[in-house]
Amino acid sequence: MVQSLNRLRESPSQTAGPYVHIGLTPNFCGIAGVFEKDLGTEMVNDKTKGERITVRARVLDGTGTPLKDALIEIWQADAAGLYNSPTEIRGAADPNFTGWGRMPTDMVSGECLFETIKPGRVPYKPGLLMAPHITFWIVARGINLGLQTRMYFADEEQANAEDPVLARIEHRSRVPTLIASRQDDVYVFDIHLQGDNETVFFDV
Amino acid sequence: MSIDPKPNRQPEIGAFFQRDRSWHPPAYTPGYKTSVLRSPQKALLSLDTTISEITGPVFGHGMLGELDNDLIHNFAKPGESAIGERIIVYGRVLDERGKGVPGVLLEFWQANAGGRYRHKKEGYIAALDPNFGGCGRTITGEDGSYAFRTIKPGPYPWPNGVNDWRPAHIHFSVFGHGFAQRLITQMYFEGDPLIWLCPIVRTIPDRAAVETLIAALDMQSTIPMDACAYKFDIVLRGRRSSVFENRLEGN
């Protein structure tokens, strides 16, 4: 016998179900008066530094139908590439930027909009920078464990070409699934859960 | 969002232990029909956690309202309360190293005592309770502990198989200190025979894993003549010590 590692095991995930809004965005589904406002709907204020952008996201199932009951959370660095987190030790992030957003997809169109700023670059390992990106976490009915992916920006070609995470994607034809196209100030990011254009999801 | 400064505590900044995806439910679980078209078919891209997942949002206690952890009263008219079996749910948020995880936001939601959710898209014939909303939240204490008061939710039928019923359950959403710890799960109740019939429970391959989601009845923590108690601990991913790892600063 050897010593025990005395580790616990992570609680297994379960689907968020179709009524995830009750807990995470109650005002959105008509439960008013419990929480003043839904968390994560305001990432920026008047003083936030950086380029204002809108991210328009959808999640599509294996038939190409947008999910109307998904919930997306995003997490990103500020314009200087710092995270608003106690585990950020490189410096103080912009206090006027939360870095975290949460939106349900619309019950009719399946779209959701994040009003945010374009993030700066952050380090990967010493000497290597990642391209600007936003981390996505997607839950919904039918998704047993939250899906993690990233959104990169189509107008950051040079940075994307150097990105060490994008470089890990063996099938180069799949890289564009992580790159949002730009239409004026709106970045459009469609997340395909399965099929020919299946988005790259991460075990990270 | 505000951040508790906690100047006397060095934040842990190590990468997270890899997730054991054979312990979690796989994406494709055809017994749970909706998963069929919503499950990726290609392999996930594996990465050691980067700063983008090691960091994560942290919420201050200042965001909480007085009744946020009291579902019996937080939607009720003044002087009234929700109908049903009054319970206290309590426990700790730990990580895989057994350490309590302090200062993390827990959110929970559930149906009422009759199994009816307060949601536009829900049409089950059981009645709404005018004094029950079904949502609550709290933030863990220094040792990772939390508690809230609610009514025990009822089981309800759902359109999966012809005659599938969800066991009584409460949904939990848990943050952590890093975005990689983000977790949503469900809590079930000791002794419920519907647990082992449920296609959603059965997405979890290992019976021992399911058992970690079943809250224990704790008669020592009940409040006599008031509320029964159930204990439910939640385990988040642990993290490595960063002592010997390349430091992220200075790049």
Side-chain angles (χ1 to χ4, degrees), chain A residues 48-110:
Chain A
T48 306
K49 297 190 186 90
E51 180 191 352
R52 301 301 170 107
I53 61 167
T54 299
V55 174
R56 191 167 87 214
R58 294 191 303 169
V59 185
L60 301 107
D61 73 14
T63 70
T65 306
L67 272 58
K68 289 152 189 175
D69 52 11
L71 182 114
I72 300 176
E73 291 185 6
I74 64 172
W75 174 242
Q76 65 167 97
D78 69 9
L82 292 168
Y83 282 100
N84 191 348
S85 166
T87 47
E88 171 61 87
I89 56 165
R90 296 170 300 146
D94 181 352
N96 293 300
F97 182 61
T98 67
W100 176 75
R102 171 191 277 171
M103 293 298 283
T105 57
D106 185 84
M107 290 185 199
V108 177
S109 69

Side-chain angles (χ1 to χ4, degrees), chain A residues 8-12 14 62 73 83-84 102 126-127 133 141-142 144 150 168 194 198 201 203-204, chain B residues 3 19-21 23-24 26 29 32 37-39 41-42 45-46 52 96 107 182 185 188 235 251:
Chain A
L8 302 174
R9 302 190 79 163
E10 189 186 11
S11 295
Q14 291 270 262
E73 291 185 6
Y83 282 100
N84 191 348
R102 171 191 277 171
H133 65 276
R141 173 173 68 102
N144 292 324
R150 290 182 173 193
R168 292 276 309 277
Q194 61 176 227
E198 185 174 306
F201 296 103
D203 180 7
V204 66
Chain B
I3 286 176
R19 212 161 222 166
D20 181 353
R21 288 178 181 267
W23 181 252
H24 286 284
T29 49
Y32 174 28
L37 284 169
R38 294 185 173 194
S39 44
Q41 295 167 328
K42 296 180 170 66
L45 178 66
S46 297
S52 302
E96 289 168 297
E107 298 162 289
R182 198 77 183 79
T185 189
Y188 304 100
V235 181
N251 284 288

Side-chain angles (χ1 to χ4, degrees), chain A residues 19-31 35 37-39 41 71 102-104 107, chain B residues 107 119 135:
Chain A
Y19 309 126
V20 59
H21 313 107
I22 294 174
L24 304 193
T25 57
N27 293 289
F28 171 82
C29 73
I31 301 176
F35 307 148
K37 59 185 177 193
D38 292 336
L39 270 189
T41 51
L71 182 114
R102 171 191 277 171
M103 293 298 283
M107 290 185 199
Chain B
E107 298 162 289
H119 191 283
C135 59

Side-chain angles (χ1 to χ4, degrees), chain B residues 63-189:
Chain B
M63 66 175 275
L64 297 177
E66 199 182 341
L67 294 177
D68 280 8
N69 67 345
D70 183 355
L71 282 69
I72 294 178
H73 295 106
N74 69 10
F75 192 77
K77 291 185 256 316
E80 299 186 13
S81 59
I83 289 172
E85 190 177 332
R86 297 161 62 93
I87 59 170
I88 291 161
V89 178
Y90 79 94
R92 289 178 74 200
V93 177
L94 304 161
D95 77 9
E96 289 168 297
R97 300 167 301 175
K99 291 183 158 194
V101 191
V104 301
L105 178 66
L106 276 175
E107 298 162 289
F108 19 86
W109 67 101
Q110 62 168 92
N112 69 21
R116 175 73 186 267
Y117 281 100
R118 184 173 290 278
H119 191 283
K120 289 173 194 170
K121 299 275 181 183
E122 153 75 293
Y124 181 37
I125 54 173
L128 284 169
D129 176 346
N131 288 313
F132 188 73
C135 59
R137 61 189 180 188
T138 189
I139 290 177
T140 57
E142 280 299 303
D143 60 350
S145 62
Y146 76 92
F148 62 95
R149 179 158 66 160
T150 186
I151 54 94
K152 189 175 174 186
Y156 63 88
W158 58 300
N160 186 65
V162 173
N163 191 23
D164 281 337
W165 289 69
R166 294 302 324 280
H169 64 277
I170 299 176
H171 296 265
F172 277 73
S173 165
V174 194
F175 281 78
H177 294 164
F179 206 51
Q181 290 178 301
R182 198 77 183 79
L183 182 72
I184 280 184
T185 189
Q186 301 183 27
M187 177 196 116
Y188 304 100
F189 291 84

Side-chain angles (χ1 to χ4, degrees), chain A:
Chain A
M1 289 289 282
V2 298
Q3 293 188 6
S4 168
L5 291 173
N6 288 320
R7 294 259 163 75
L8 302 174
R9 302 190 79 163
E10 189 186 11
S11 295
S13 174
Q14 291 270 262
T15 180
Y19 309 126
V20 59
H21 313 107
I22 294 174
L24 304 193
T25 57
N27 293 289
F28 171 82
C29 73
I31 301 176
V34 180
F35 307 148
E36 189 182 332
K37 59 185 177 193
D38 292 336
L39 270 189
T41 51
E42 290 167 19
M43 299 179 69
V44 295
N45 63 34
D46 296 346
K47 297 183 202 143
T48 306
K49 297 190 186 90
E51 180 191 352
R52 301 301 170 107
I53 61 167
T54 299
V55 174
R56 191 167 87 214
R58 294 191 303 169
V59 185
L60 301 107
D61 73 14
T63 70
T65 306
L67 272 58
K68 289 152 189 175
D69 52 11
L71 182 114
I72 300 176
E73 291 185 6
I74 64 172
W75 174 242
Q76 65 167 97
D78 69 9
L82 292 168
Y83 282 100
N84 191 348
S85 166
T87 47
E88 171 61 87
I89 56 165
R90 296 170 300 146
D94 181 352
N96 293 300
F97 182 61
T98 67
W100 176 75
R102 171 191 277 171
M103 293 298 283
T105 57
D106 185 84
M107 290 185 199
V108 177
S109 69
E111 282 187 353
C112 66
L113 300 175
F114 291 93
E115 302 298 336
T116 183
I117 53 117
K118 201 165 172 188
R121 297 178 73 173
V122 300
Y124 179 66
K125 293 196 166 119
L128 286 173
L129 283 175
M130 294 191 274
H133 65 276
I134 297 178
T135 302
F136 274 63
W137 184 72
I138 301 137
V139 294
R141 173 173 68 102
I143 296 176
N144 292 324
L145 173 61
L147 294 167
Q148 288 159 288
T149 188
R150 290 182 173 193
M151 186 195 105
Y152 289 81
F153 298 83
D155 53 355
E156 295 285 345
E157 278 179 49
Q158 182 62 38
N160 291 344
E162 299 167 6
D163 184 85
V165 173
L166 292 177
R168 292 276 309 277
I169 300 173
E170 178 188 353
H171 301 96
R172 302 311 291 166
S173 62
R174 301 192 66 204
V175 173
T177 68
L178 299 185
I179 299 178
S181 59
R182 183 163 194 164
Q183 297 175 0
D184 300 320
D185 288 334
V186 180
Y187 288 91
V188 178
F189 189 45
D190 277 348
I191 297 153
H192 295 267
L193 296 178
Q194 61 176 227
D196 290 342
N197 291 319
E198 185 174 306
T199 299
V200 174
F201 296 103
F202 294 86
D203 180 7
V204 66

